[in-house]
Amino acid sequence: MTRRTGGHAGGHAREHAGTHALMLRCRSVGRIAAAAALLGGCHVPPQTAPRPTSGSAAQASTPISARPVASVLDVHWLLPGTDTMVITREADAAPVVNRQPTPGSAALADTRTRIAIGMTIQRVRRMTDAAGHDAFEVAFEQRDSSSVLVETTTWVNARTLQPLRQLALLEDGRVVTLGFGRGEVVMVDSGPGRLPRMSASPVPDSAYTSAAIDLVLRALPLSMGFRATVPVYFPADEQVVPLDVRVEGADRITTRGGRVMECWVVAADFPGDVTERFWIDQRSHAMIRILAHEGVTNLVRYDR
């Protein structure tokens, strides 16, 4: 399997992959940051709730949705492992209609013929980075039948899920890294035969990266009616955007392996007035399905 490096077909495929990796909402540099955001790539945790976190009496009396995101995240849902998702579209390439799910319904079940157009592989491990941080390392690939379209690695703090560093391997030997900390992100863009280019942008330490938004969604205390605003940094725009996240309902779906899963359907409003949806298992908080825009009206589906 090779990384596609040139030509019209290759350029189209890379743009296609960038669109599938919806968290990117990105142009060139942004493409490095967000493909990994789609996958819920950790192994399914034990079918029990995570350990409760301690908090003050005042916090306990505050509705969860009214608290800062950082105070309600529970990383015990996230376990190291490797997972794959298959990417499909409808056979006739017709737009997929989003229907509002209701508790216990299969309103968003799709029985129409679908064509596989690629796959994603995500490997998550917990490690100590060079600076001594307790971190999750998230390595992500998106492939079609002949090449690797997207290849990124993201490191986030394993206790807060806030970003530490990101790395993307791009065409023609180009390497782009992002380093987060002290209220800014520093980008280094390097490649064969030229000097590295460096730039810095202000980013509050409270922001999350679009490349790891899947981990943040899975660590939220999801329940019917839950809603939160998540500050997310999008590299292409070099800005932090408040992401409106909400549980729209519940849905029962069947995985590729035949398991029936009761899922929360989580909607998130991305820049450009685009709403994407994520099916997160109610018992394990594993990411089971994603419905993502490919253009303005057409959607592609990622299935575990």
Side-chain angles (χ1 to χ4, degrees):
M1 184 99 37
T2 59
R3 187 180 296 107
R4 192 168 291 164
T5 59
H8 175 75
H12 175 76
R14 283 188 299 277
E15 182 63 30
H16 191 60
T19 304
H20 286 174
L22 61 93
M23 300 340 161
L24 280 168
R25 318 281 336 141
C26 292
R27 298 171 289 275
S28 57
V29 172
R31 219 172 252 120
I32 80 170
L38 280 178
L39 240 344
C42 300
H43 281 171
V44 178
Q47 303 297 304
T48 58
R51 298 193 300 272
T53 56
S54 61
S56 66
Q59 184 185 54
S61 65
T62 304
I64 289 177
S65 295
R67 300 179 198 167
V69 169
S71 71
V72 300
L73 291 178
D74 192 338
V75 299
H76 295 108
W77 291 115
L78 311 174
L79 295 180
T82 300
D83 261 318
T84 63
M85 280 186 164
V86 170
I87 310 167
T88 62
R89 63 169 174 79
E90 285 191 301
D92 59 1
V96 178
V97 177
N98 277 316
R99 294 183 290 275
Q100 182 80 4
T102 56
S105 77
L108 290 176
D110 189 353
T111 59
R112 291 164 287 189
T113 302
R114 305 189 69 84
I115 296 175
I117 58 174
M119 67 181 297
T120 60
I121 303 171
Q122 179 166 294
R123 301 174 180 89
V124 178
R125 71 184 184 110
R126 194 160 184 169
M127 46 87 75
T128 301
D129 71 5
H133 298 112
D134 179 14
F136 284 123
E137 178 187 77
V138 184
F140 176 88
E141 292 182 9
Q142 182 165 321
R143 304 176 176 181
D144 65 9
S145 61
S146 62
S147 63
V148 177
L149 304 176
V150 177
E151 189 172 3
T152 67
T153 305
T154 303
W155 293 264
V156 299
N157 187 298
R159 300 180 183 182
T160 67
L161 301 185
Q162 285 160 344
L164 300 171
R165 190 163 64 94
Q166 296 172 206
L167 169 70
L169 306 179
L170 306 177
E171 61 178 312
D172 300 327
R174 183 183 173 203
V175 178
V176 178
T177 63
L178 299 176
F180 295 85
R182 299 183 179 180
E184 68 176 4
V185 57
V186 176
M187 183 189 73
V188 180
D189 185 345
S190 60
R194 64 176 174 84
L195 294 174
R197 293 192 292 268
M198 181 180 295
S199 62
S201 303
V203 173
D205 293 336
S206 60
Y208 303 91
T209 173
S210 58
I213 191 62
D214 65 313
L215 301 184
V216 176
L217 296 180
R218 294 175 55 217
L220 289 170
L222 303 175
S223 61
M224 195 63 67
F226 175 81
R227 192 178 196 115
T229 300
V230 182
V232 178
Y233 175 69
F234 289 86
D237 301 315
E238 297 186 356
Q239 66 176 344
V240 175
V241 176
L243 209 65
D244 183 37
V245 175
R246 59 201 175 275
V247 173
E248 285 190 331
D251 196 16
R252 177 182 298 136
I253 63 175
T254 303
T255 68
R256 293 183 293 121
R259 293 183 62 189
V260 177
M261 313 289 278
E262 299 285 346
C263 296
W264 296 120
V265 182
V266 179
D269 296 333
F270 284 80
D273 295 323
V274 174
T275 300
E276 314 291 13
R277 288 174 174 83
F278 307 79
W279 280 251
I280 298 175
D281 180 44
Q282 293 181 8
R283 296 182 66 189
S284 69
H285 280 214
M287 188 73 72
I288 306 301
R289 175 176 293 173
I290 299 164
L291 200 59
H293 279 79
E294 181 191 50
V296 177
T297 57
N298 290 337
L299 299 173
V300 293
R301 203 173 80 189
Y302 296 70
D303 283 287
R304 179 172 178 159

